[in-house]
Amino acid sequence: MLVSLSALLYFCALFKMNPNKNRKQKMTRNYPLAVLLLVLALFSCDDNEGLPEVEAPSSYSFERNSQSTVSFSGQTTRIKMAEELNSAFLDFDNTTEALLLEMFRNDDGQGGDVSPFEDADLNSATKSIKSKVAASQDLFAANTTESSQIKAQFESWIAGQINEIYPNRNQLATAGNAGQLADGTSTRYVNAKGLEYNQAFTKSLIGGLMLDQLVNNYLSTAVLDAASNKEDNNAGVLADGKNYTTMEHKWDEAYGYLFGNAANTASPLTELGSSDSYLNKYLGRVEGDADFAGVAQEVFDALILGRAAIVAQQYEVRDAQADIIKQKLSEIIAIRAVYYLQQGKIALENQQYGTAFHDLSEGFGFIYSLRFTHNPIAGDSFFSREEVDQMIDDLYGSTNGFWDVDATTLDAISASIAAKFDFTVAEAGN
Amino acid sequence: MRKIVSLFLSFALIMACSSSDGEPTEVADNFDRSAMLVNWADNIIIPSYEAYASAVADMKASTDAFTTQPSLTTLGELRNNWLQAYTAFQSVSMFEIGPAESVSLRNYTNIYPTDAAEIESFVASGDYNLTLPSTIDAQGFPALDYLLFGTADTDAEILVKLSSDSYSTYLSSLVDRIETLSSQVLSEWKGSYRDTFVSNSGSTASSSVNKLVNDFLFYYEKSLRAGKIGIPSGVFSSTPLSDRVEGLYSKEYSKGLFNASLNATINFFKGKHFESESTGESLEQYLRYLSELNSTEDLSVAIINQFEAAKSAVSQLNDNFYFQVESDNSKMLQAYDELQKNVILMKVDMFQKLNIRIDYVDADGD
């Protein structure tokens, strides 16, 4: 029993605690032992090993005094704003730079009220996308320099769409010239270096808004346990005029960035992938890859159990779930980044530039989003600013950007992303 | 102790699971791929393009006759030649390889639904560039379908409209564009591409057989099964989309165009020479060869039977698929189901037997 326990600890350590190491290499080095350990691990490697039991409901619904305690309307609002902004990028007949910026900021730049959205509820909302971009407690509370650079970057993509793409939308794009390219029956609108600004913007927003808020802010102990949150939660002290404790609400807000736009928010997995164009969509895409099937349920279960643990005042259980979510959602971004680089590589080989640049534009955004991942072991992003900037530069930095990039570079970037996680380029790439 | 027992049990299980099941050893495949490529190129593909280009030339001649002297008679001739050319296109659409692939022939010739509003704005402004990818839904046969049948309620009114300079200029531009693309593709096939195609007779992913069989299946799955039947009948949406049928404005040709397409597909599978009863090396023969070689069931029989089942389901449909979707969509769905069965027989079973990898994925959807 002692042997098996220590083996278990060893294996759990191998599996869970050090995602940066290549699991496959270790296994080949000591094959028989590794197989024995694997068997043990299959039986016992439970993330909640040694933690108290917490009863979790099967859906994300929690009540106090027969009233729901779940609330994440602010997240739903921001997802809806992002959806309208996403469509507006290619609405050549109506869109202006001013309109896109108003949608991004939900003010006129001087704090004045604006009504850029079709949905009146969004116009009356006081929230905005921009205020929550690169705004997490863990990564940006003491790094406003980078935060403001990131916000400016998002606004520069908006400007590029209006100033570079719109005037050239009825030209064929060539190396060095903005215009349109065919991607099957779709038309893609790219800048002089082949980048679609709308893809750069929306895919970067998955990291910059949804993921950053989710993993680096609302699941952060600095936020969950801020001020007297723990004492209040233990004593059942509710937020002013609300039916939830502040800690419960913080956890819900994390949940809202993934499932907040679902039709059935309590049981959102049946419509996984179609609830929005952002994090939900790409969790769905990764779930659809046989190599990663099950990940959506894992994340969903962890969100439910963590929330139940808050109700049960079991904070270690809560934090163990937060770590699972941080790890898995970070992987989603990384898997999709590699996927698009590999798909882009195939299309480039076939000289399908429109298809290739569309993939690479999505890949560009997912790489940009890697900055907002969270490594639960390190308590920091999996990728530094410098690492992300280097990858973007390798992909897009040459004179003609995507027109110049080759398969070797795409493979090298893919490998450097996959190296931080437990998946291979081949698993992510198809 | 219980843990140790379970440990060994699961160890045994893992071993048992991982022992390779091993495919039955196959005898070497010596089917004459080269001869099949020659049959495809010389007896099917090039004659089909010749017939298409000739039908397009007739359509151009009747367009010129119409624009010179617009009348109900010349309009009738133009419509007739449009239908002949559109039907002939159904026999070449699947060959999206080489010259057709490099000019995106299918996308610039037969994207529907056509964008009537965009067409009207191009007609009004006279400002358009039909080589831009964003204009694929304002050109080709579906755009002509709109111009010739959908611009007004009666033939007399259509005649008045099309007689005006702006419409007649756009009409000629559309026909010229179709003509340019068709003759370009034909001349490349009759030039160097025929030999390039035939000599690339290996079995790698980039070989002519592997590529064209993929193109054939892609066409069958996306253009024929989904485009002509599945999408209008609502298989891919929450409600049927009757305005997505081929030949929406002329209202009576969707079934005829479908049949031309399905027959061309079957003829290609059987290696049947263009407009002849003779056959040559084909996918059917290839599958039969493999079944004899390996003493397995002949898959080609199942595929041909399934083609016949699809044909018979489609024979139940109205000439106008729009009407069919609106009146009794269940018949459209039945036809779809029969077509779908052959996607499985070909995409899974045939590709496996021929040892060809699918080289396309379902589009990401964004």
Side-chain angles (χ1 to χ4, degrees):
Chain A
M1 196 60 211
L2 195 66
V3 173
S4 81
L5 188 64
S6 59
L8 163 71
L9 286 176
Y10 169 70
F11 206 81
C12 284
L14 199 63
F15 253 93
K16 300 288 172 188
M17 302 306 176
N18 206 343
N20 293 340
K21 291 279 160 61
N22 186 324
R23 189 201 298 171
K24 288 193 173 65
Q25 262 179 11
K26 275 193 179 286
M27 286 187 54
T28 48
R29 208 183 306 149
N30 199 343
Y31 185 70
L33 177 63
V35 171
L36 282 171
L37 292 177
L38 174 63
V39 171
L40 274 170
L42 285 175
F43 272 76
S44 343
C45 207
D46 184 333
D47 295 294
N48 303 313
E49 189 76 21
L51 294 175
E53 280 278 310
V54 171
E55 279 291 325
S58 61
S59 67
Y60 199 87
S61 57
F62 298 89
E63 292 186 343
R64 177 177 283 113
N65 305 322
S66 306
Q67 299 284 316
S68 173
T69 60
V70 178
S71 169
F72 42 75
S73 60
Q75 285 62 46
T76 309
T77 298
R78 284 197 186 82
I79 293 173
K80 287 186 193 301
M81 287 176 168
E83 292 294 338
E84 283 205 24
L85 178 52
N86 183 21
S87 326
F89 256 93
L90 290 176
D91 182 4
F92 294 131
D93 294 335
N94 302 305
T95 296
T96 60
E97 182 175 357
L99 180 72
L100 292 180
L101 287 174
E102 285 180 2
M103 288 178 149
F104 186 49
R105 300 164 174 164
N106 201 19
D107 72 30
D108 62 4
Q110 271 89 46
D113 195 26
V114 291
S115 301
F117 297 105
E118 281 190 20
D119 180 343
D121 291 346
L122 300 181
N123 288 328
S124 59
T126 53
K127 299 177 164 49
S128 76
I129 298 171
K130 184 182 178 181
S131 65
K132 295 294 179 182
V133 165
S136 64
Q137 180 68 32
D138 283 359
L139 286 188
F140 299 105
N143 191 3
T144 54
T145 314
E146 188 186 348
S147 171
S148 76
Q149 284 164 358
I150 291 169
K151 288 177 165 134
Q153 178 71 74
F154 276 90
E155 296 195 342
S156 82
W157 290 324
I158 288 177
Q161 183 74 6
I162 305 298
N163 300 323
E164 298 163 37
I165 305 292
Y166 279 33
N168 294 301
R169 65 181 185 275
N170 286 323
Q171 306 293 326
L172 277 175
T174 54
N177 296 296
Q180 55 171 265
L181 290 169
D183 170 12
T185 56
S186 302
T187 304
R188 307 300 181 188
Y189 296 90
V190 301
N191 72 7
K193 296 171 79 173
L195 177 71
E196 288 176 279
Y197 285 120
N198 57 320
Q199 289 300 334
F201 187 97
T202 50
K203 271 49 181 187
S204 298
L205 199 61
I206 295 173
L209 173 66
M210 287 82 181
L211 186 73
D212 186 46
Q213 285 293 298
L214 204 167
V215 301
N216 297 314
N217 196 70
Y218 290 121
L219 296 189
S220 160
T221 46
V223 170
L224 289 167
D225 294 343
S228 59
N229 285 2
K230 225 177 210 175
E231 290 92 324
D232 291 347
N233 192 60
N234 289 341
V237 176
L238 303 183
D240 261 359
K242 306 292 186 188
N243 195 33
Y244 46 70
T245 69
T246 301
M247 192 194 291
E248 288 170 343
H249 184 52
K250 297 296 178 196
W251 190 273
D252 290 346
E253 293 187 280
Y255 183 85
Y257 274 117
L258 184 55
F259 294 120
N261 205 35
N264 180 350
T265 50
S267 302
L269 290 188
T270 50
E271 51 173 304
L272 178 69
S274 55
S275 305
D276 64 37
S277 311
Y278 296 93
L279 196 51
N280 185 287
K281 175 172 177 175
Y282 290 97
L283 177 61
R285 286 291 156 79
V286 174
E287 174 68 26
D289 178 341
D291 291 318
F292 304 103
V295 65
Q297 188 70 48
E298 241 179 298
V299 170
F300 184 56
D301 287 347
L303 282 160
I304 296 176
L305 183 55
R307 180 62 158 76
I310 292 175
V311 176
Q313 301 163 31
Q314 297 293 349
Y315 303 113
E316 281 180 52
V317 177
R318 178 198 72 181
D319 293 340
Q321 305 318 303
D323 283 355
I324 294 171
I325 297 161
K326 290 170 182 176
Q327 177 74 34
K328 291 294 164 193
L329 292 182
S330 298
E331 280 175 20
I332 299 301
I333 304 297
I335 289 166
R336 285 314 278 192
V338 172
Y339 171 81
Y340 285 117
L341 294 178
Q342 292 299 309
Q343 292 297 312
K345 185 181 81 171
I346 295 168
L348 270 186
E349 282 163 6
N350 296 327
Q351 280 138 29
Q352 297 165 329
Y353 292 106
T355 307
F357 294 176
H358 181 60
D359 287 327
L360 296 181
S361 297
E362 297 201 68
F364 178 106
F366 278 101
I367 291 172
Y368 197 82
S369 282
L370 288 172
R371 176 66 185 127
F372 308 97
T373 54
H374 189 113
N375 179 346
I377 307 302
D380 197 355
S381 174
F382 278 101
F383 295 86
S384 68
R385 179 79 260 153
E386 290 69 29
E387 285 174 302
V388 170
D389 287 347
Q390 185 61 54
M391 287 189 283
I392 296 277
D393 192 54
D394 292 344
L395 176 65
Y396 179 71
S398 74
T399 313
N400 288 325
F402 294 159
W403 293 96
D404 296 332
V405 80
D406 60 20
T408 313
T409 305
L410 298 176
D411 280 340
I413 303 172
S414 302
S416 69
I417 296 169
K420 303 241 187 186
F421 298 92
D422 255 346
F423 64 82
T424 64
V425 170
E427 284 167 339
N430 60 27
Chain B
M1 187 58 200
R2 205 187 312 153
K3 201 154 209 168
I4 292 174
V5 173
S6 63
L7 182 149
F8 278 102
L9 280 176
S10 41
F11 190 75
L13 189 67
I14 283 177
M15 289 289 116
C17 295
S18 64
S19 78
S20 72
D21 293 330
E23 308 254 314
T25 37
E26 305 244 335
V27 199
D29 169 3
N30 286 320
F31 186 77
D32 193 345
R33 286 177 167 234
S34 224
M36 183 163 71
L37 290 174
V38 169
N39 186 45
W40 284 350
D42 295 346
N43 299 320
I44 303 176
I45 299 176
I46 294 174
S48 301
Y49 276 124
E50 279 171 338
Y52 172 55
S54 143
V56 169
D58 291 346
M59 175 171 74
K60 183 165 163 49
S62 57
T63 304
D64 293 344
F66 172 78
T67 53
T68 318
Q69 204 161 39
S71 72
L72 285 176
T73 313
T74 50
L75 176 62
E77 280 162 9
L78 171 54
R79 283 172 167 178
N80 185 44
N81 283 334
W82 163 84
L83 179 62
Q84 299 307 318
Y86 202 173
T87 307
F89 177 73
Q90 306 294 333
S91 293
V92 301
S93 182
M94 74 183 93
F95 306 126
E96 195 84 350
I97 190 170
E101 185 182 19
S102 65
V103 301
S104 291
L105 182 68
R106 183 161 64 231
N107 284 346
Y108 281 104
T109 307
N110 194 22
I111 287 294
Y112 54 93
T114 200
D115 187 340
E118 191 176 15
I119 292 171
E120 290 294 350
S121 89
F122 286 168
V123 167
S125 68
D127 181 16
Y128 49 84
N129 173 359
L130 297 177
T131 65
L132 290 177
S134 60
T135 62
I136 56 174
D137 53 1
Q139 61 182 296
F141 290 105
L144 288 169
D145 182 41
Y146 170 72
L147 281 187
L148 298 176
F149 299 92
T151 36
D153 291 336
T154 67
D155 286 357
E157 289 169 303
I158 290 172
L159 178 63
V160 171
K161 268 208 167 173
L162 296 190
S163 305
S164 72
D165 277 354
S166 56
Y167 279 93
S168 104
T169 304
Y170 195 64
L171 173 68
S172 296
S173 305
L174 293 183
V175 172
D176 287 347
R177 173 91 175 129
I178 291 174
E179 206 264 339
T180 305
L181 291 172
S182 63
S183 55
Q184 186 181 339
V185 171
L186 176 62
S187 73
E188 284 187 45
W189 268 100
K190 294 179 88 163
S192 63
Y193 186 71
R194 185 264 178 206
D195 288 346
T196 307
F197 175 78
V198 166
S199 62
N200 187 5
S201 60
S203 55
T204 60
S206 59
S207 69
S208 293
V209 171
N210 289 37
K211 282 196 74 177
L212 192 62
V213 172
N214 265 289
D215 295 336
F216 165 76
L217 182 74
F218 183 87
Y219 174 75
Y220 180 80
E221 189 179 354
K222 306 290 179 186
S223 296
L224 198 157
R225 175 202 65 141
K228 294 177 200 293
I229 302 271
I231 292 171
S233 62
V235 172
F236 307 100
S237 52
S238 46
T239 52
L241 304 166
S242 53
D243 62 349
R244 306 289 177 91
V245 299
E246 194 173 27
L248 174 68
Y249 297 98
S250 47
K251 294 192 165 66
E252 52 182 325
Y253 301 128
S254 30
K255 184 162 134 184
L257 294 169
F258 176 90
N259 283 334
S261 162
L262 182 60
N263 286 333
T265 304
I266 296 171
N267 290 344
F268 176 76
F269 181 80
K270 292 179 169 174
K272 200 155 164 272
H273 299 178
F274 183 71
E275 291 192 342
S276 150
E277 288 308 311
S278 330
T279 57
E281 290 81 359
S282 64
L283 291 173
E284 181 189 10
Q285 288 190 13
Y286 199 166
L287 288 171
R288 192 173 305 135
Y289 164 85
L290 289 172
S291 88
E292 283 162 9
L293 190 67
N294 298 308
S295 309
T296 51
E297 209 166 308
D298 183 1
L299 178 64
S300 75
V301 174
I303 291 174
I304 287 172
N305 287 343
Q306 191 52 46
F307 275 133
E308 293 304 321
K311 259 174 126 168
S312 122
V314 171
S315 72
Q316 305 296 309
L317 303 178
N318 189 279
D319 284 347
N320 177 3
F321 285 177
Y322 176 88
F323 176 79
Q324 187 64 55
V325 172
E326 293 289 325
S327 63
D328 181 3
N329 193 44
S330 68
K331 288 207 171 66
M332 288 287 279
L333 294 172
Q334 283 159 17
Y336 176 84
D337 290 342
E338 297 303 333
L339 291 166
Q340 170 62 20
K341 286 176 192 162
N342 243 354
V343 169
I344 297 163
L345 287 177
M346 294 195 285
K347 195 173 186 178
V348 181
D349 301 340
M350 180 175 84
F351 270 62
Q352 194 179 26
K353 285 194 190 295
L354 299 181
N355 197 20
I356 296 178
R357 260 190 66 186
I358 305 277
D359 68 7
Y360 61 93
V361 286
D362 288 324
D364 206 16
D366 61 353

